Amino acid sequence: MANYAIITDLNRCTGCLACTVACKAINGVDVGNFWIKTLRVGPHPIEGGSGTFPDVEMYFLPVQCQHCENPECVKVCPTEASHVAEDGTIQIDKDKCIGCQFCAMACPYGVRYLNQTERVVEKCTLCKERTDEGDEPMCVRCCPADARIFGDLDDPDSAVSRLRREQSAEVLLEEKGTRPQVFYVR
């Protein structure tokens, strides 16, 4: 079985929000909620940027479910609605979810929310319905800058495996020990 991952090249990401909009559209995400948030980092030092004017640094950081190998959200789910799928992604079985939001509180990335209409927690599924058919997630498909790369980490010839080997791929909040499967290069 596959071990899916996404790598985002932060040098290529223009902050156009195509990934955010595509995700909302294909998944019917309610107004005010997001499965992918594209954050602007910098250039102001308080906002996390670096440098001294006029030499400042700024980049865009798409943040979504990190599909962790050691997911805190799965550990705290009392109904096992949050679970690790065979392909390594973290999924939510809406039939089992009771809307307690323990998973949302446990997630160090703040990427889960309660769907008020259905009373279930939602988040990025890595477009499971698409990847099960051999397609790529919509956020990857719609990225005009080709900044997002999707693939199988168990395939040494896949683009994500090559990028992870050849460049310094970083993860968010490495110190949390969740071992995210969403990587960033710059």
Side-chain angles (χ1 to χ4, degrees):
M1 192 64 188
N3 182 15
Y4 291 137
I6 287 183
I7 293 183
T8 302
D9 185 338
L10 300 178
N11 290 311
R12 297 185 64 92
C13 180
T14 63
C16 71
L17 302 180
C19 58
T20 300
V21 173
C23 176
K24 285 181 75 71
I26 195 169
N27 293 299
V29 179
D30 290 337
V31 173
N33 294 308
F34 301 90
W35 288 11
I36 301 174
K37 296 176 186 175
T38 303
L39 308 175
R40 182 188 69 143
V41 181
H44 195 277
I46 293 173
E47 296 173 357
S50 62
T52 304
F53 181 79
D55 298 315
V56 294
E57 178 183 319
M58 183 185 87
Y59 61 94
F60 297 97
L61 181 69
V63 180
Q64 66 194 67
C65 174
Q66 302 292 295
H67 295 281
C68 304
E69 282 186 2
N70 185 26
E72 294 299 320
C73 58
V74 171
K75 293 176 187 176
V76 300
C77 183
T79 64
E80 298 180 354
S82 288
H83 62 279
V84 180
E86 286 184 24
D87 59 12
T89 62
I90 307 304
Q91 301 297 326
I92 300 172
D93 183 338
K94 289 185 175 187
D95 292 332
K96 291 182 178 179
C97 182
I98 58 174
C100 67
Q101 301 179 68
F102 289 168
C103 60
M105 291 181 269
C107 176
Y109 307 99
V111 294
R112 290 173 170 242
Y113 75 95
L114 181 68
N115 177 319
Q116 295 290 343
T117 305
E118 297 182 40
R119 302 297 301 164
V120 295
V121 174
E122 292 186 333
K123 60 157 207 77
C124 164
T125 64
L126 216 57
C127 287
K128 184 158 179 52
E129 69 287 345
R130 293 175 59 82
T131 56
D132 282 352
E133 297 297 320
D135 207 347
E136 57 192 8
M138 190 57 80
C139 62
V140 174
R141 169 66 56 93
C142 291
C143 180
D146 293 327
R148 296 175 67 81
I149 299 95
F150 171 76
D152 181 1
L153 286 175
D154 288 344
D155 175 0
D157 297 325
S158 71
V160 291
S161 291
R162 283 194 318 273
L163 269 173
R164 191 164 171 220
R165 270 193 319 268
E166 296 167 4
Q167 296 193 27
S168 298
E170 300 175 28
V171 296
L172 297 179
L173 304 176
E174 185 173 10
E175 67 276 9
K176 297 290 183 181
T178 59
R179 295 191 308 276
Q181 298 304 291
V182 174
F183 301 91
Y184 301 90
V185 295
R186 55 180 171 141

